[in-house]
Amino acid sequence: MSRTSSPEAAEHVGVLIIGGGPAGLAAAVAARKAGAQDLLIVERDRMLGGILNQCIHNGFGLHTFKEELTGPEYASRFISQVKELDIPYLLNTMVLNLDRDRNVTLMSRKDGIRRVKADAVILAMGCRERPRGALSIPGFRPAGIYTAGTAQRLMNIEGYQVGRRVVILGSGDIGLIMARRMTLEGAKVLTVAELMPYSGGLKRNIVQCLNDYDIPLQLSHTVVDIHGKDRVSGVTIAQVDERRSPIPGTEVTYDCDTLLLSCGLLPENELTRMTGAEMSSVTGGASVDESLQTSIPGVFACGNVLHVHDLVDYVSEEASHAGESAALYAASSEGERRADAEAVEIAVAGGVRYTVPQRIDPVRMPDKVTVRFRVADVYRDKTIAVYRGEKRLSARKTRVLAPGEMEQVILKKEELSGLTAAEGLRVVIED
């Protein structure tokens, strides 16, 4: 029996950060700067940095560092801060269990099983890609089918060329970036097929990764068949109707050896569910308040585990807020921790799919709170408005709103003083 096998042997940590990617790194740095002395980052991979390590293209850091960086360069900035601030971290370490009392079970080949009791926990596990099994595509299971992120890792970290003639299903940002990456490596990207009538990626990625390389994007199209048994030999693509069902007679077959899937990201929330935290059916992540605290006291969430972001700069900003909040919580006594009963839910309307945070405590909130959200469709010449009851607090006209682009509004404490659930708070899209 190991020395940590009994509850009495559990180690104490002030703030435990689960995940050493962009969210976890920024949260740890902010927590340390906010006064947290007893910190620990737990990362299951062999290095810190998370998904950024395989994102060798530029475009990162314009908001955070005011310059354009590659993914590894962006990660290295935060890794350097973690080391300079003497924040301890564990690599190659899995979190096996997390309960609502912030008891955590860790496992690694080096240390075996370790049990930790944390005053505050920050969930920063990131997200995963939607696999083929979730897409209901008929056909055999030949070699040559990859999620876009897997192909990115194989090419950028392992050094493999995954294919020569490529079809991409889905126009998420990773798929768009891989269309360019594979073209630069000599592959021929035949087409990008997107089920929806709009792209799921950033406009700049459509321009820089598809248009600049004459790669066609087919909206309202999907893969209806995969050919080949040992290796992909072709795929058949068809147009879909408004119900997203294939239209007979529109099928076109492409001779190819590779199919990349870029069909959405799913927040990695198995540990979140272990705590019993309230979850959002829209984002797939936890429901949080203005401090990014979940419904479980002392458990905070940030980054792609909370909701899928389009820019890593927004992940870092959000994670910094979570780190500060967790540090404050860990340093406070039970009597100082305000109950969440005063929080007011943020309602959405007019095409707003969700908000993060989902609720606001007008007493506990800082002077300003950034509320991020996505829309359900492409809207043109609309106004983003915030209402307290029937009073419009703010309004901003915008030319285009799209699901692939995250939007935000700022809530001010002075405008929400005395807010009650009966009044309500709404974020809406209107003419």
Side-chain angles (χ1 to χ4, degrees):
M1 182 177 293
S2 71
R3 66 179 179 84
T4 58
S5 61
S6 64
E8 293 76 20
E11 305 167 45
H12 174 265
V13 171
V15 179
L16 179 74
I17 301 99
I18 303 177
L25 294 171
V29 169
R32 175 70 95 206
K33 291 181 177 179
Q37 296 302 310
D38 189 11
L39 291 168
L40 179 63
I41 303 171
V42 179
E43 169 55 47
R44 66 183 177 184
D45 206 349
R46 64 180 186 270
M47 65 183 81
L48 295 173
I51 194 69
L52 292 174
N53 292 319
Q54 66 187 55
C55 299
I56 63 173
H57 54 281
N58 60 11
F60 301 92
L62 290 172
H63 295 271
T64 305
F65 297 110
K66 310 304 179 187
E67 60 180 305
E68 198 170 34
L69 304 170
T70 66
E73 287 172 334
Y74 187 95
S76 71
R77 298 285 180 95
F78 279 99
I79 293 171
S80 295
Q81 291 183 63
V82 164
K83 293 178 178 178
E84 288 168 4
L85 294 169
D86 198 25
I87 299 173
Y89 55 88
L90 299 174
L91 302 177
N92 297 306
T93 302
M94 290 287 294
V95 178
L96 299 181
N97 189 67
L98 168 65
D99 67 23
R100 64 184 301 113
D101 295 318
R102 305 181 298 282
N103 294 303
V104 188
T105 303
L106 312 176
M107 182 186 71
S108 69
R109 179 175 296 179
K110 176 184 176 183
D111 298 323
I113 300 293
R114 296 174 62 176
R115 290 184 171 85
V116 175
K117 171 68 174 181
D119 294 328
V121 172
I122 300 175
L123 304 172
M125 295 88 72
C127 59
R128 64 177 184 271
E129 296 177 281
R130 185 174 279 110
R132 178 190 174 181
L135 302 177
S136 302
I137 303 173
F140 294 98
R141 300 178 64 85
I145 303 174
Y146 305 90
T147 61
T150 298
Q152 186 182 56
R153 182 180 182 92
L154 287 171
M155 293 186 71
N156 294 348
I157 294 183
E158 308 298 337
Y160 295 103
Q161 172 64 285
V162 299
R164 290 296 179 185
R165 291 179 59 82
V166 185
V167 169
I168 299 177
L169 175 60
S171 60
D173 287 311
I174 302 176
L176 298 176
I177 288 165
M178 284 307 294
R180 177 179 62 186
R181 180 77 178 98
M182 297 196 75
T183 300
L184 293 173
E185 286 297 322
K188 175 66 175 177
V189 179
L190 303 173
T191 191
V192 176
E194 169 57 56
L195 178 67
M196 303 301 290
Y198 50 78
S199 172
L202 292 168
K203 178 66 175 178
R204 75 180 191 194
N205 284 335
I206 296 173
V207 173
Q208 296 174 4
C209 301
L210 298 187
N211 297 351
D212 288 356
Y213 294 89
D214 296 323
I215 299 170
L217 170 62
Q218 300 185 75
L219 301 177
S220 297
H221 282 72
T222 192
V223 172
V224 295
D225 202 3
I226 300 173
H227 308 286
K229 290 187 178 180
D230 296 326
R231 173 84 192 196
V232 172
S233 61
V235 300
T236 299
I237 292 175
Q239 188 176 351
V240 300
D241 58 24
E242 61 276 2
R243 295 176 297 176
R244 303 176 199 166
S245 299
I247 301 173
T250 63
E251 299 87 355
V252 176
T253 297
Y254 293 83
D255 295 327
C256 62
D257 59 21
T258 304
L259 174 64
L260 295 192
L261 305 175
S262 180
C263 302
L265 301 169
L266 305 171
E268 193 82 75
N269 268 298
E270 284 72 19
L271 292 175
T272 314
R273 293 187 182 92
M274 284 183 185
T275 68
E278 178 186 342
M279 305 296 291
S280 166
S281 61
V282 182
T283 65
S287 175
V288 296
D289 63 17
E290 74 289 335
S291 67
L292 300 181
Q293 182 175 230
T294 70
S295 60
I296 305 302
V299 178
F300 301 80
C302 58
N304 284 349
V305 79
L306 183 56
H307 61 133
V308 176
H309 292 63
D310 46 9
L311 298 179
V312 72
D313 301 80
Y314 292 159
V315 168
S316 299
E317 181 182 322
E318 183 178 273
S320 294
H321 181 42
E324 293 168 358
S325 300
L328 181 62
Y329 184 94
S332 62
S333 65
E334 289 292 336
E336 295 173 322
R337 294 169 183 169
R338 180 179 169 84
D340 205 28
E342 316 290 335
V344 175
E345 297 290 328
I346 303 175
V348 298
V352 179
R353 294 187 65 226
Y354 68 87
T355 67
V356 172
Q358 285 89 353
R359 56 187 182 275
I360 295 285
D361 184 325
V363 175
R364 187 175 55 193
M365 70 180 287
D367 291 338
K368 293 182 180 180
V369 172
T370 299
V371 176
R372 293 194 168 92
F373 64 92
R374 290 186 188 269
V375 296
D377 206 339
V378 177
Y379 303 101
R380 299 184 185 279
D381 299 319
K382 297 288 185 177
T383 297
I384 302 170
V386 178
Y387 285 87
R388 172 181 176 170
E390 298 304 315
K391 179 182 179 182
R392 190 157 78 168
L393 299 179
S394 65
R396 184 180 84 246
K397 291 184 177 181
T398 183
R399 288 183 55 220
V400 180
L401 294 165
E405 308 272 349
M406 188 174 289
E407 301 290 339
Q408 68 181 40
V409 294
I410 305 296
L411 300 181
K412 299 178 181 178
K413 185 182 181 75
E414 61 188 28
E415 295 178 336
L416 300 185
S417 177
L419 175 68
T420 65
E423 284 181 281
L425 190 62
R426 290 178 294 142
V427 178
V428 304
I429 302 297
E430 57 188 20
D431 293 326

